[in-house]
Amino acid sequence: MLLIINGPNLNRLGLREPGVYGLQTIEDLERQCETWGAELGEPVTCRQSNFEGQILEWVHEAQEQGFGGIVINPGALTHYSYALRDAIASQPLPVVEVHISNVDAREEFRHTSVTAAVCRGKISGLGFVGYRLAMEYLTELEG
Ligand code: DQA
């Protein structure tokens, strides 16, 4: 069972900077992840929040809630949230960081991820497909 977390402003997908993020909405993304989960035989729970503390608590509680891995798009928290980094490091589940856009091809401040080093890996720039690849990896790990 996988937990998919989308962070700040990702509820604005479809409306926000469509040239960067496309026209599909967070509902489209979450539906896709559920479909991919069904194909992989891996139930998924999708959550989105604009509140850092809420995201920290979801990460803290994921293992005791029975999840086997976390896919997280931390949005801009990626670039500065030491609290999120520490939350990921504080728990044992494998975490994969995903970005819809290619953060390394954008503004300088997006080139830094303070969270990636405590994740298993980072996928950036592949659109929604990045979530599927992260899910496949975590499903394989769960064996
Ligand atoms: C993002 C990239 C971040 O730099 C940005 O702040 C986001 C979305 C992405 O999915 O490409 O909110 O994480």
Side-chain angles (χ1 to χ4, degrees):
M1 185 162 76
L2 300 178
L3 176 60
I4 317 268
I5 300 176
N6 282 296
N9 299 310
L10 288 157
N11 59 316
R12 305 286 295 163
L13 284 176
L15 299 170
R16 89 184 269 218
E17 302 178 79
V20 176
Y21 298 109
L23 287 170
Q24 289 187 290
T25 64
I26 183 84
E27 287 80 16
D28 295 330
L29 172 59
E30 292 183 341
R31 228 174 297 127
Q32 288 243 34
C33 288
E34 283 158 14
T35 302
W36 289 326
E39 285 167 9
L40 292 165
E42 183 75 52
V44 300
T45 295
C46 297
R47 298 178 182 158
Q48 189 277 328
S49 180
N50 294 321
F51 298 93
E52 183 177 15
Q54 174 65 86
I55 294 169
L56 302 189
E57 289 184 359
W58 286 339
V59 170
H60 296 161
E61 293 159 6
Q63 188 183 39
E64 69 197 41
Q65 290 180 349
F67 294 103
I70 302 174
V71 177
I72 188 163
N73 181 344
L77 295 174
T78 306
H79 312 303
Y80 67 87
S81 177
Y82 297 121
L84 179 57
R85 178 195 168 104
D86 285 350
I88 293 169
S90 79
Q91 58 80 55
L93 294 179
V95 178
V96 178
E97 178 172 316
V98 172
H99 299 285
I100 295 166
S101 65
N102 181 354
V103 285
D104 294 303
R106 300 181 62 197
E107 301 94 325
E108 193 78 32
F109 75 89
R110 296 186 205 275
H111 300 179
T112 299
S113 170
V114 301
T115 45
V118 291
C119 295
R120 290 296 178 102
K122 176 176 106 172
I123 299 169
S124 168
L126 306 184
F128 288 2
V129 172
Y131 291 77
R132 180 162 62 78
L133 298 175
M135 289 171 61
E136 280 176 24
Y137 167 76
L138 291 170
T139 301
E140 225 168 88
L141 270 191
E142 280 193 302

